[in-house]
Each structure stands twice: as C-alpha cells, then as structure tokens.
Amino acid sequence: KKIKLGYFYREYTKYILAIIFIILIILGVKGYNYFNREFKVYNQGDTVGVHDFIKITDSYYDKSDNGNYIIVKFDVYRNGVRQRLDVGKVSLYVNKKKYNADKNVCYKYDVVGNCYKKQYILEKEKSYILVYPVDKMDTKNSYIIYNEDYDNNYKIKLSISEY
C-alpha cells in the first residue's frame, strides 16, 4: 500500500501541490477579511458599512448640570432600499464601558441636527444625530462607536470637540 501511495504521489505531485496552494490562498483571504473586519478601527470622517454606509461628520461633548453627553452627527447613505438603522446595535465604548443612545435627550441638541428615532430613511443621503449619556467626561479617553451587527460590523474612533 505504501508503494502504491508513493507512485500516486509522484504521478500527481503537481495537482496535489496546486490544490494545497489554492486551499492556502482561500484560507489566507478569509483570515485577512476576518481580521480586517473584526479589528480595524476607522477614523471619524471615513465612510464605512456594507449594506448601509455611514459617515460620522462631527462629534461633540457637553458637560451640563443634567449630565454629560456625547453628540454624534452622522450621514447615512442608502442604496435605494427603504430601511431603518438599528440604533440598538450602535453603541459608544469609553474605557471598555458600553453606552447606548438616548432618544429622550436628543431634542436638546436639535441645533446640531435631526434626531434619529428609528424612522425609515427614504432619501439617498440624510444627516442625523445620536446622543449618548456618559458617566464621566475626559477628553483624553478613547471614544469609539461600535456597530455590533454581525454582517455590518465596524468601529469608528471619534475626535470630539466641545459643544
């Protein structure tokens, strides 16, 4: 049996190596795409997304008597499909702590833009804001918007300025 296996290997060496090479290329591309999607952090101003494209244009912080807030202004681009943005999966991370958008506070910052409240986005391009209440404000911290959707996963680092 070993002799037959040796003859088989010698006879089909080119084909066996070609198949192994193709498998390694496919695994390499899949691994690169996984790590690029899972660990890449975009900057504010970059357009990101797979199905719906999002571009964070501005981000502000507001320290008031009622609390500390991060205001994120973003543009949404649609591919002609009437959809909603799932705000529940778009979170703000500060020092490994997760914050969700608060739609009840959004009206205070309507000067910055329209508050997004899960309405349908009918236009190809539209600008909205999300407001995140945070415990403590420190501009030295890293503020990252993270979308936890499986097929549309991205991280965007904010460069916040004073409101």
Side-chain angles (χ1 to χ4, degrees):
K1 290 186 178 186
K2 286 185 179 182
I3 295 173
K4 288 182 183 179
L5 187 61
Y7 287 129
F8 179 80
Y9 179 73
R10 284 191 201 137
E11 186 79 24
Y12 298 105
T13 302
K14 293 180 207 174
Y15 302 112
I16 292 171
L17 290 177
I19 290 171
I20 290 173
F21 185 69
I22 290 171
I23 290 172
L24 288 176
I25 287 176
I26 291 171
L27 289 176
V29 168
K30 289 208 174 262
Y32 173 78
N33 288 340
Y34 170 76
F35 284 106
N36 193 26
R37 184 189 76 182
E38 199 64 33
F39 298 110
K40 182 168 181 156
V41 178
Y42 296 94
N43 291 321
Q44 180 174 311
D46 292 346
T47 303
V48 299
V50 177
H51 304 295
D52 23 297
F53 303 96
I54 294 177
K55 177 180 176 183
I56 295 181
T57 54
D58 295 309
S59 57
Y60 308 101
Y61 68 91
D62 183 26
K63 293 181 180 180
S64 66
D65 296 335
N66 298 336
N68 301 318
Y69 299 101
I70 301 291
I71 303 107
V72 177
K73 184 175 182 180
F74 63 97
D75 293 338
V76 179
Y77 305 95
R78 289 285 170 207
N79 296 340
V81 180
R82 189 179 109 146
Q83 286 183 318
R84 293 179 180 168
L85 183 66
D86 193 356
V87 178
K89 293 184 179 178
V90 179
S91 304
L92 174 70
Y93 279 85
V94 182
N95 290 341
K96 299 181 181 180
K97 189 166 183 186
K98 177 180 173 181
Y99 298 97
N100 292 320
D102 188 358
K103 293 175 272 195
N104 299 326
V105 182
C106 221
Y107 69 91
K108 293 180 183 178
Y109 303 101
D110 59 356
V111 174
V112 178
N114 295 329
C115 185
Y116 184 76
K117 296 184 179 181
K118 291 196 172 191
Q119 65 266 37
Y120 282 107
I121 301 170
L122 302 174
E123 298 156 22
K124 284 204 176 251
E125 180 179 342
K126 187 73 177 173
S127 183
Y128 295 103
I129 65 168
L130 291 174
V131 178
Y132 294 91
V134 293
D135 295 336
K136 192 169 80 170
M137 274 303 307
D138 187 3
T139 55
K140 297 173 187 164
N141 288 339
S142 173
Y143 294 87
I144 297 178
I145 293 290
Y146 182 62
N147 187 353
E148 301 175 54
D149 198 5
Y150 177 73
D151 60 342
N152 201 14
N153 188 358
Y154 53 81
K155 298 173 192 157
I156 303 171
K157 184 175 182 178
L158 301 178
S159 52
I160 59 175
S161 56
E162 191 171 357
Y163 174 68

